[in-house]
């Protein structure tokens, strides 16, 4: 009777609010989650995800607090390393240009002055 059950459930689900059903099932101990977009998963994360460290807030110096994926599993005795924000705009420009192109500090400063490279905090 799988087809009949599917039809009954589909008709019932079509009249329900997904978030309300998710909350009601969760309150009764049923592992259930609605499908959401990646934007919603990180913009308005499920409190269960944040409580388990599956989604973690990380502060970025340029963009503020962002939600990032944490460890998808927990293992006794193993602690995941801390999450770090992504590099800022131009954060490693001096280092990369020095190491890869042997640019001197004076040459780098000239590139910053011309607006060719630099960080948000180095002015042209």
């Amino acid at each position: 009777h799988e087809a009949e059950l599917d039809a009954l459930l589909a008709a019932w689900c079509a009249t329900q609010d997904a978030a309300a059903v998710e909350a009601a099932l969760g309150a009764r101990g049923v592992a259930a989650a609605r499908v959401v977009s990646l934007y919603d998963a990180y913009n308005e994360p499920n409190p269960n995800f944040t409580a388990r460290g599956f989604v973690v807030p990380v502060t970025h110096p340029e963009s503020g607090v962002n939600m990032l994926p944490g460890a998808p599993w927990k293992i006794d005795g193993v602690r995941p390393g801390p999450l770090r924000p992504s590099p800022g705009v131009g954060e490693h420009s001096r280092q990369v240009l020095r190491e890869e192109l042997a640019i001197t500090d004076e040459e780098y400063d000239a590139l910053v002055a011309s607006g060719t490279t630099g960080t948000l905090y180095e002015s042209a």
Side-chain angles (χ1 to χ4, degrees):
H1 300 288
E2 183 177 342
E4 291 134 357
L5 183 57
D6 282 347
L8 287 170
L9 284 172
W12 180 81
C13 287
T15 65
Q16 303 300 307
D17 175 72
V21 172
E22 176 185 45
L25 290 170
R28 288 169 177 79
V30 177
R34 61 198 156 100
V35 175
V36 297
S37 68
L38 280 177
Y39 176 83
D40 288 339
Y42 291 100
N43 191 47
E44 298 176 22
N46 182 306
N48 294 316
F49 288 174
T50 55
R52 295 276 302 158
F54 188 71
V55 178
V56 181
V58 174
T59 302
H60 191 281
E62 295 171 6
S63 63
V65 176
N66 297 280
M67 301 305 283
L68 296 178
W73 54 81
K74 291 191 179 279
I75 302 172
D76 283 343
V78 177
R79 297 182 56 91
L83 288 178
R84 299 182 315 231
S86 62
V89 174
E91 181 177 341
H92 299 106
S93 294
R94 183 183 298 269
Q95 174 188 353
V96 170
L97 292 173
R98 181 184 294 138
E99 291 175 6
E100 299 298 325
L101 300 177
I103 298 283
T104 66
D105 284 340
E106 294 76 23
E107 291 170 317
Y108 179 80
D109 292 341
L111 290 171
V112 171
S114 71
T116 303
T117 191
T119 70
L120 294 178
Y121 309 107
E122 295 172 320
S123 60

